[in-house]
Amino acid sequence: MQAKGIFLPIYFVLPKIFATFARDMRIKEYLPYYKRNLRVALPVVLTQLGAALVGLFDSVMVGHYSTTALAAVSFSNAIFFTVMVFAMGVLMGVTPLVGHEVGRKHKHIELGNADKAAQCENRIAGLLQNGVWLTVLLSVLMVGILGGCIPLLDVFGQDPAVVRASRPYFLLIVISIVPFLFFCLEKQFLEGLGNTTAAMLISFGMNGLNIFLNWVFIFGHLGFAPMGATGAGIATLISRTTLPFIFAAVILGRREWRKYVKKFSFRLNSRDDLSRLLSVGMPIGGQTVLETIAFTASFIIVGWLSKEALAAHQIANQIADLTFMIALGIGAATTIRVSIQYGKGDLHAVKMASRASVHLVLLMNTIGAGLMIGLRHYIPYLFTEDEAVAAIASKLILFAGLLQYADGLQCVGAAMLRGITDVTRPMIYAFVSYILIAFPVGLLCMFRLQMGAAGMWVGFIFGLASAAVLFHTRFWRKLKEMTNNE
């Protein structure tokens, strides 16, 4: 009865979501928008899935070397990415700002205003040049913060052997921050221009290189001594250092992209451009940190229950991450498509591209939810032979399946708002949803309603559903205001 009572709001809301979905399904009208969104989204999805798989390979390879090495890598990356997602989020602000200028440029070309189109190209070059300075500042900040953590790794209460193995690995990934952030800048810039394929191809190549170098340095092949976690750090540093140089070569190799670099000059250094990048990027960075903190803290809280509950939580989270990569790709495409059409001043196209993304994420997440719920008794055995862990995990995967709609809709809703550079209010919404709603509900269900680890997933469902409602309500209200002001 308790679980049924908790899910009554979901039973009430889902039919309305699908009713809206069905009402909007004018296939012939939406088909071009589905195609354009998918053309942009699929490379991002494949890039994200490739990154997730290489992370899985890292864990498997390091785990086969030793349990201590695996713990060291997991511990180090948990600290690293909790901080790094902020810088990565800040650089995401490059995409909509560049997209707006691309849209304006296309509009001026259509109207025959060559001079104004050229001014847009100069502004795009200015955003890239000042994005380089922003990346330098972020690199210094991140290296300073994470480098300062190296002597403090003991305070996290980990096994001394794990801390000893972590230090050299952690140092290597801290050094990799600089090239990695420059890669993020180049990726976000090209996404603003509407291209997501280049990042996919380069990432695939570097993922393959990283796996090969793991084999060489972790286990000691081709004349190298086995280095365990340190070897994984060396492989990561080499592959991340290679990324921005390959990407820069690709940008310089195409005349339509190279022209922006050739415009670099002292006069393009602009405090206003840097301020614009920060004003859009900082709230996005804050929102990504809040989401990361919420999910990271959930592992600590579930760990209070038992090691079996924690292991099951990890299994459910890894499965949910795979479907989230699809939502993330659709979200990235949404930001790109919305920002370009917004720059052109075509609010009808903004509306259609946004609704098309909502349709796509609902479809994809319905498939994902169906697979999770239908296979929930089998999936855990891919990860464990422990019957106690598998029993808990199968229950959590059911809740992870129910989470799919809220997660997909909040992801696309945030992306729609980024496309129109409305980012400050969504950061506040994220704090309310992820911290003030998800955690209290999760703790209430875990301990007061005695739902165990499943209670935390109920908290996520309510928190992410709240974020989805707030993001979408905000976007459609803003779009209606802009339409009325035309």
Side-chain angles (χ1 to χ4, degrees):
M1 290 296 293
Q2 290 173 337
K4 184 177 180 181
I6 286 168
F7 287 108
L8 279 176
I10 297 172
Y11 301 147
F12 178 72
V13 169
L14 284 182
K16 292 194 172 185
I17 292 175
F18 283 105
T20 302
F21 175 65
R23 187 172 61 249
D24 287 338
M25 286 297 291
R26 300 183 295 274
I27 296 296
K28 288 185 179 180
E29 187 177 358
Y30 279 99
L31 194 58
Y33 294 93
Y34 296 147
K35 289 180 178 178
R36 293 175 196 139
N37 286 14
L38 284 172
R39 192 180 303 122
V40 177
L42 284 175
V44 181
V45 171
L46 293 174
T47 300
Q48 297 293 339
L49 287 174
L53 288 174
V54 89
L56 180 62
F57 274 111
D58 275 356
S59 297
V60 170
M61 295 173 82
V62 174
H64 277 86
Y65 180 82
S66 76
T67 301
T68 299
L70 177 58
V73 169
S74 301
F75 168 56
S76 298
N77 279 318
I79 298 172
F80 181 82
F81 281 107
T82 299
V83 176
M84 271 294 290
V85 290
F86 173 74
M88 295 163 66
V90 171
L91 291 175
M92 287 172 66
V94 173
T95 298
L97 290 173
V98 170
H100 290 175
E101 296 300 336
V102 169
R104 292 187 187 106
K105 173 189 166 185
H106 290 167
K107 181 179 181 180
H108 291 312
I109 290 173
E110 291 171 2
L111 295 174
N113 297 328
D115 290 341
K116 290 186 176 181
Q119 291 172 9
C120 291
E121 289 191 354
N122 289 336
R123 287 195 290 270
I124 293 171
L127 287 169
L128 177 58
Q129 180 172 313
N130 289 283
V132 170
W133 291 118
L134 175 59
T135 305
V136 170
L137 293 173
L138 288 170
S139 298
V140 172
L141 178 63
M142 293 298 104
V143 169
I145 293 173
L146 287 167
C149 291
I150 295 174
L152 302 175
L153 294 178
D154 300 278
V155 304
F156 291 93
Q158 302 297 304
D159 185 283
V162 171
V163 174
R164 283 195 298 273
S166 296
R167 280 207 170 90
Y169 176 81
F170 196 80
L171 175 61
L172 288 163
I173 61 174
V174 167
I175 296 171
S176 75
I177 286 172
V178 179
F180 183 66
L181 286 180
F182 273 97
F183 162 72
C184 290
L185 170 67
E186 293 162 336
K187 175 178 176 293
Q188 298 301 148
F189 175 71
L190 279 194
E191 287 185 359
L193 296 179
N195 182 282
T196 54
T197 305
M200 177 191 71
L201 296 175
I202 294 168
S203 295
F204 277 1
M206 292 306 102
N207 288 343
L209 175 64
N210 192 48
I211 292 170
F212 171 72
L213 293 176
N214 275 343
W215 175 77
V216 171
F217 296 122
I218 292 172
F219 300 107
H221 292 98
L222 303 181
F224 290 92
M227 289 181 270
T230 302
I234 294 172
T236 298
L237 176 60
I238 293 173
S239 59
R240 284 182 180 169
T241 301
T242 307
L243 274 171
F245 290 104
I246 299 296
F247 219 133
V250 169
I251 291 174
L252 293 173
R254 287 187 61 169
R255 186 173 63 84
E256 60 184 297
W257 299 337
R258 183 172 64 245
K259 63 186 177 184
Y260 297 113
V261 179
K262 290 176 70 174
K263 290 178 180 290
F264 278 18
S265 65
F266 182 79
R267 66 182 179 80
L268 285 181
N269 289 330
S270 168
R271 189 174 297 176
D272 289 341
D273 276 349
L274 195 58
S275 177
R276 287 173 66 203
L277 289 166
L278 284 170
S279 66
V280 175
M282 291 281 281
I284 297 175
Q287 184 178 332
T288 56
V289 166
L290 288 169
E291 191 167 3
T292 302
I293 289 173
F295 279 90
T296 300
S298 73
F299 283 89
I300 297 172
I301 296 170
V302 171
W304 295 345
L305 299 173
S306 69
K307 63 181 181 181
E308 289 82 10
L310 182 58
H313 184 62
Q314 172 67 15
I315 291 170
N317 194 66
Q318 284 190 323
I319 296 302
D321 274 350
L322 291 177
T323 53
F324 181 69
M325 297 303 166
I326 298 173
L328 205 60
I330 295 172
T334 305
T335 297
I336 295 165
R337 296 287 304 136
V338 167
S339 64
I340 291 174
Q341 299 305 321
Y342 181 71
K344 289 178 71 174
D346 189 345
L347 297 182
H348 176 71
V350 169
K351 179 182 72 173
M352 295 296 288
S354 300
R355 283 184 173 172
S357 287
V358 171
H359 299 165
L360 289 171
V361 83
L362 282 173
L363 175 63
M364 296 299 183
N365 282 29
T366 296
I367 295 171
L371 289 172
M372 284 185 198
I373 295 170
L375 300 174
R376 66 187 184 277
H377 295 299
Y378 306 97
I379 292 171
Y381 292 101
L382 297 174
F383 296 86
T384 184
E385 296 177 0
D386 188 317
E387 292 292 341
V389 172
I392 300 171
S394 64
K395 184 178 181 181
L396 298 188
I397 291 171
L398 169 63
F399 285 87
L402 294 173
L403 176 71
Q404 294 308 297
Y405 298 106
D407 202 11
L409 288 171
Q410 69 91 24
C411 182
V412 168
M416 288 153 53
L417 288 167
R418 287 169 193 163
I420 60 173
T421 60
D422 183 13
V423 290
T424 302
R425 185 68 67 84
M427 181 181 67
I428 298 170
Y429 291 163
F431 176 76
V432 171
S433 302
Y434 304 152
I435 307 300
L436 300 185
I437 295 177
F439 276 128
V441 173
L443 291 170
L444 173 68
C445 293
M446 283 179 69
F447 300 109
R448 189 67 180 268
L449 301 182
Q450 298 181 350
M451 293 182 65
M456 182 54 67
W457 286 86
V458 174
F460 285 152
I461 290 171
F462 275 86
L464 296 182
S466 299
V469 170
L470 291 169
F471 292 159
H472 283 265
T473 301
R474 171 78 174 178
F475 177 80
W476 295 112
R477 183 183 296 135
K478 295 285 289 184
L479 189 61
K480 183 177 180 180
E481 290 173 0
M482 289 185 286
T483 303
N484 291 338
N485 290 333
E486 277 191 319

